Amino acid sequence: MSKEHVVRNYIAGQWRTAEAQGFLDVENPATGEVIARTPRSTTTEVDRAVAAARQAFPAWAHMSVARRVSWLFRWREILMKNEEKISRILVEEMGKSLSDARAEMKRVYQNLETACAAPMLQQGSKLVDCAGDIDGEEMHEPIGVFAAITPFNFPAMAPFWFIPYALATGNTLVVKPSERVPLTLEAITEFLHELELPPGVYNVLNGDKDASIALVNHPDVKGVSFVGKTDTCRIIASRCAELGKRCQAMGSAKNHLVVMPDYKQIDELIRNMSTSCYGCAGQRCMASSVIVAIGDAMYERISATFVADSRKYRVDNPLNPDVLEESLVIGPVISAQSQAFIHSMIEIGVREGATLALDGRGIRVPGCEKGHFIGPTVFTNVRPGMRIHQTELFGPVVCIMKAGSLDEAINIINNHPYSNACSIYTQNGYEARKFKLNVETGMVGINVGIPAPVPFLPFGGMKSSMLCDIKMQSRSAFQFYTHNKVIVERYWPTE
Ligand code: NAD
């Protein structure tokens, strides 16, 4: 890639140079080098994309469902063959490790596979004789044009929480990827282009918040799927509510890991927790960033061993050949702005009285002096209510806290504004059960560091982590992208 490359829009089955009201740099966060430019598409360009999707809708909605998903099968095949090429583009623009990028691609395939079950999952139901000689039927109809607006941290997976389901159910779609990582979806779309999907069924529109808002406001867009920060989520969800549109809106997170005093496999535990905290440099919505140890002895042990283990991670450019296949590598955070924010929060943590047991600021990666690196950072003696505990930092910064009991740990989790996920480590079935029944988060793990559901299950949080009613993936996605029309029918004999 080069800074001359202007990311293209994909509208009505054609690659287009966007009508743009300006351009934003796409940076390799490991080197600070500009690798492309994202056009800030104008409202005329938004209208063009939505018009293409609207025009394609009737024929696509009435095409047999088996035929619709045939494109998804073929897309999956061609993406699998080109996984390495796409993964490297993903690493270059986002900064995660190559193994994380490959793992992300697996989720792309799984979402495509799940959506290919549309001939089964889109089925309705019928009750014969629900009243005297009357039959009642529920059917799941496509709705129209949807928009999907996605974040930077999963340039491939996040769009695929939506694309396969919207298309399989007979809707048409305009996707607006994050302006910071548009190249992965551009590459993925190249492969669909080869498959000659009917023009307008799937469109990609590049831009920033102006393009997002224009899509949400567009009268022909019937619903919006959104993932990003909770602040942005509120804007999108409230606008959709005003306009009476369907909305999926997934927001920020701060995920807790609770360690019970009975847990014995400390080495496995520490590695499991640290990969959850440092994978993708802490920039996963399912990353853990708070460890709550129960009791003095476990707290002391976890604090010491976690800090020691954190020192083993190498911070580097993930495309450096020396670390390319390395799993314990931490890449950069997405931008200089994000790095500065995390640095400022570390400073706040120190002022709040937490103990900075490991400080990742000031780390230097030779040859990548302009990269946005932060080394593993650990605070101990963190108390609930401190800003470093309440705020999503989205970096490799971990807070370790102590609780006197499982009930106290559950309260810490339930009093937190973000409620995406949490996990407990215990061999005690009673306590595991108590935890899963009482924590208020959308996803719960037991002896699992990242309880991210595979696409055969729904994905989404609670409270400020999800400002809508329907989760992503699986049956939930089928519910979101279809209207459940109910038919009540009766016939009399003709003679
Ligand atoms: P972001 O909110 O800055 O951007 C997300 C998308 O919204 C982008 O496409 C962007 O162009 C658009 N956008 C930004 N500001 C907007 C505005 N004011 N109005 C309309 N559109 C706007 O988020 P990000 O920094 O790209 O992503 C990181 C965030 O996403 C983190 O908070 C992370 O926890 C969250 N996330 C959540 C989940 C989940 O499942 N809950 C998954 C992945 C990421």
Side-chain angles (χ1 to χ4, degrees):
M1 291 295 161
S2 77
K3 64 178 181 219
E4 278 72 47
H5 178 76
V6 175
V7 186
R8 295 155 301 160
N9 287 345
Y10 188 71
I11 298 176
Q14 305 278 330
W15 287 108
R16 279 182 55 88
T17 304
E19 249 179 48
Q21 52 191 350
F23 297 90
L24 298 161
D25 288 343
V26 179
E27 216 189 27
N28 175 338
T31 60
E33 186 194 351
V34 176
I35 53 173
R37 288 184 304 147
T38 301
R40 297 180 57 229
S41 294
T42 58
T43 47
T44 314
E45 197 75 356
V46 173
D47 290 345
R48 205 170 266 137
V50 176
R54 188 182 168 182
Q55 202 183 343
F57 175 67
W60 183 249
H62 290 290
M63 185 183 282
S64 82
V65 59
R67 182 134 183 256
R68 285 198 304 255
V69 301
S70 70
W71 273 280
L72 303 184
F73 275 114
R74 285 184 285 146
W75 203 6
R76 171 185 172 276
E77 293 305 300
I78 195 164
L79 293 179
M80 286 175 90
K81 285 198 190 103
N82 290 281
E83 177 178 299
E84 205 55 21
K85 179 179 172 192
I86 300 166
S87 299
R88 282 176 190 247
I89 295 172
L90 199 162
V91 174
E92 193 181 359
E93 68 174 350
M94 194 276 157
K96 63 178 66 175
S97 69
L98 189 57
S99 60
D100 273 338
R102 291 175 183 143
E104 182 173 342
M105 290 304 294
K106 303 283 181 290
R107 291 297 169 105
V108 167
Y109 316 144
Q110 289 171 344
N111 275 296
L112 284 163
E113 288 157 14
T114 310
C116 285
M120 298 297 294
L121 293 177
Q122 200 174 341
Q123 285 183 19
S125 57
K126 183 158 188 167
L127 180 62
V128 175
D129 286 327
C130 60
D133 289 335
I134 293 178
D135 301 338
E137 182 179 4
E138 181 183 0
M139 55 195 216
H140 298 276
E141 285 189 328
I143 295 169
V145 178
F146 278 81
I149 301 167
T150 56
F152 80 83
N153 62 328
F154 284 108
M157 179 175 75
F160 278 77
W161 277 329
F162 309 122
I163 299 167
Y165 304 100
L167 268 46
T169 47
N171 299 285
T172 56
L173 186 68
V174 180
V175 187
K176 194 209 77 65
S178 165
E179 60 275 28
R180 292 187 276 184
V181 293
L183 297 168
T184 305
L185 193 63
E186 187 182 47
I188 285 176
T189 302
E190 286 280 8
F191 296 111
L192 184 65
H193 184 59
E194 286 177 25
L195 300 178
E196 298 183 347
L197 184 76
V201 167
Y202 162 83
N203 307 276
V204 181
L205 181 91
N206 288 286
D208 58 5
K209 61 179 173 27
D210 293 345
S212 305
I213 294 297
L215 277 172
V216 173
N217 285 339
H218 199 293
D220 289 336
V221 170
K222 302 294 180 206
V224 178
S225 296
F226 173 82
V227 184
K229 295 190 191 87
T230 293
D231 286 351
T232 320
C233 229
R234 281 192 210 289
I235 295 170
I236 305 278
S238 52
R239 189 67 188 134
C240 284
E242 274 170 47
L243 295 170
K245 297 188 181 193
R246 287 191 172 213
C247 180
Q248 284 177 309
M250 311 296 156
S252 308
K254 189 91 174 176
N255 304 316
H256 295 68
L257 299 173
V258 174
V259 186
M260 295 304 290
D262 68 292
Y263 208 81
K264 298 280 185 303
Q265 293 86 353
I266 296 297
D267 289 348
E268 291 83 352
L269 166 75
I270 294 293
R271 187 42 53 87
N272 198 259
M273 294 198 298
S274 68
T275 50
S276 169
C277 297
Y278 299 135
C280 206
Q283 301 169 109
R284 290 183 186 131
C285 62
M286 295 299 279
S288 299
S289 48
V290 186
I291 296 172
V292 186
I294 310 292
D296 291 334
M298 188 52 101
Y299 172 75
E300 295 303 335
R301 191 156 178 211
I302 292 289
S303 300
T305 43
F306 192 85
V307 170
D309 187 74
S310 299
R311 292 183 198 280
K312 294 183 189 148
Y313 280 80
R314 176 156 168 184
V315 179
D316 209 330
N317 176 354
L319 289 175
N320 173 354
D322 295 346
V323 298
L324 204 55
E325 298 299 333
E326 176 66 62
S327 60
L328 297 186
V329 64
I330 299 180
V333 295
I334 190 69
S335 63
Q337 193 191 8
S338 170
Q339 185 190 38
F341 167 71
I342 296 164
H343 283 175
S344 73
M345 287 305 301
I346 295 173
E347 197 49 51
I348 286 172
V350 172
R351 274 193 265 127
E352 284 179 315
T355 306
L356 186 54
L358 184 63
D359 186 357
R361 291 174 295 180
I363 196 142
R364 297 276 170 271
V365 174
C368 293
E369 283 69 23
K370 293 192 177 149
H372 316 307
F373 294 95
I374 301 179
T377 298
V378 185
F379 278 107
T380 55
N381 290 316
V382 176
R383 289 187 304 283
M386 285 182 169
R387 279 178 63 193
I388 45 165
H389 175 237
Q390 294 293 303
T391 312
E392 181 191 55
L393 306 190
F394 231 44
V397 181
V398 182
C399 296
I400 305 186
M401 313 174 86
K402 179 165 64 177
S405 64
L406 177 57
D407 287 330
E408 190 182 332
I410 291 173
N411 276 337
I412 291 171
I413 294 169
N414 290 353
N415 288 331
H416 202 282
Y418 297 127
S419 303
N420 212 38
C422 64
S423 275
I424 188 169
Y425 291 91
T426 183
Q427 299 298 339
N428 181 318
Y430 176 82
E431 285 171 335
R433 182 171 184 273
K434 179 175 183 177
F435 184 78
K436 76 179 176 193
L437 295 182
N438 289 288
V439 280
E440 294 164 5
T441 64
M443 295 165 279
V444 179
I446 298 174
N447 301 322
V448 172
I450 309 171
V454 287
F456 324 125
L457 295 165
F459 189 123
M462 289 172 72
K463 298 194 270 188
S464 296
S465 295
M466 179 173 138
L467 302 180
C468 62
D469 307 319
I470 303 182
K471 294 190 176 187
M472 308 182 289
Q473 300 188 159
S474 77
R475 287 181 195 279
S476 303
F478 281 87
Q479 223 182 319
F480 180 71
Y481 287 115
T482 58
H483 179 77
N484 59 336
K485 187 184 273 178
V486 174
I487 321 292
V488 179
E489 59 186 331
R490 172 165 66 186
Y491 303 95
W492 284 274
T494 45
E495 38 192 74

